[in-house]
Every structure is written in structure tokens, then in C-alpha cells.
Amino acid sequence: ALHSPLYLACLLVEDNPSDVRLLKRALALMKDLTTHTLIVIDDGEQAANYFNTTEDLPDLIILDLNVPKVDGKALLTQLKGRKRTKHIPVIILTTSDVYHDVKDAYDHGAAAFVSKPIGLRDFTCAVQSLGAFWLRSVRYKK
């Protein structure tokens, strides 16, 4: 059986406070998932600056494509273009389900693309599925 790492830092780049609350609530419902920290940044410019100023890189990034200042596509391209951050898996969690956005995200190095479900129950289920896989099962480069 796989075991969670002792500590996993997740960066969420999301500007919608309701979606941030829903994501936090869904993760909190996963009672046995206690080995993570969630850092929230609400615009792409601040996220880009975060990577320029911190030594502690997250293990996983959850990125909305529709964030202000520097959009998610541009941020993804920056992250995957840098030696220091290209190894960090980026999950796109966005309202879009347009084929071009999905293809573009994968072409630029996204590890996964998830369209935000409508409704609390479906959103919670999607986030818990992401958490179960990405926070419990996946091994990360340290």
C-alpha cells in the first residue's frame, strides 16, 4: 500500500473566493488527509512573484486559467519553462471545457485538466477525487 508523504504543500491559484472555500471544505472532509498545506494566491502575477521570491516550492499546483493580471495559460507556460519549477505537477481546475483550452493546457505541460463541476455535491466529489489521487497516491520529486 502507498503511504502519503510526511508533508505535501499545494499551491492554489484561484481568484474566486467561493471556489477557494469549496476546495478547502472538500479537502477538510477528507479526514485522513492531514499531511498537506494549502497556500492560496488569487492572481497570476502574485503567483509568478511567489516563485521568484520563495525557496520553498510547492509539491503540487492547482491553477485556474481565468485569474487576473497574468492568466493561467501564461503562468503555466512560465512555470514549465523554468528549470526550477518545470517538475511541479500543475492541475488545471477551471470553468472551461473548451477543447482548445484542454489541448493548450496539455501542450504546455499540465499534468491534468479538470472542468469545475456545477453544484456543491459535484464540486466536492471532484475535489475529493483529485485529493485522493494527487495528495495520497502520487510520488513527488523532492
Side-chain angles (χ1 to χ4, degrees):
L2 294 175
H3 299 284
S4 294
L6 295 175
Y7 173 79
L8 185 67
C10 180
L11 174 69
L12 172 63
V13 184
E14 171 63 69
D15 66 321
N16 183 325
S18 296
D19 288 347
V20 172
R21 276 193 305 277
L22 286 173
L23 193 124
K24 285 181 176 179
R25 185 177 301 147
L27 290 175
L29 290 172
M30 301 176 72
K31 304 262 186 257
D32 63 326
L33 187 61
T34 58
T35 58
H36 74 283
T37 295
L38 183 66
I39 303 156
V40 180
I41 299 178
D42 65 3
D43 75 58
E45 185 176 77
Q46 285 182 4
N49 289 338
Y50 173 83
F51 288 102
N52 291 331
T53 59
T54 187
E55 291 297 314
D56 298 325
L57 295 176
D59 300 295
L60 177 68
I61 300 166
I62 302 173
L63 175 61
D64 185 5
L65 292 180
N66 305 309
V67 290
K69 299 187 181 175
V70 174
D71 71 21
K73 288 180 187 179
L75 182 59
L76 176 64
T77 301
Q78 283 181 31
L79 293 170
K80 293 303 175 179
R82 294 182 182 165
K83 183 178 182 183
R84 185 168 177 257
T85 55
K86 71 179 180 180
H87 71 281
I88 303 170
V90 178
I91 299 169
I92 304 299
L93 181 63
T94 191
T95 55
S96 175
D97 62 359
V98 177
Y99 173 77
H100 176 75
D101 287 342
V102 176
K103 182 182 180 318
D104 203 39
Y106 284 122
D107 285 348
H108 287 89
F113 189 104
V114 179
S115 295
K116 289 178 186 173
I118 309 279
L120 177 60
R121 179 179 298 213
D122 290 342
F123 189 92
T124 300
C125 183
V127 169
Q128 288 179 328
S129 294
L130 285 171
F133 180 71
W134 289 98
L135 299 179
R136 284 189 188 133
S137 301
V138 173
R139 300 297 92 200
Y140 294 91
K141 176 182 174 184
K142 292 286 185 185

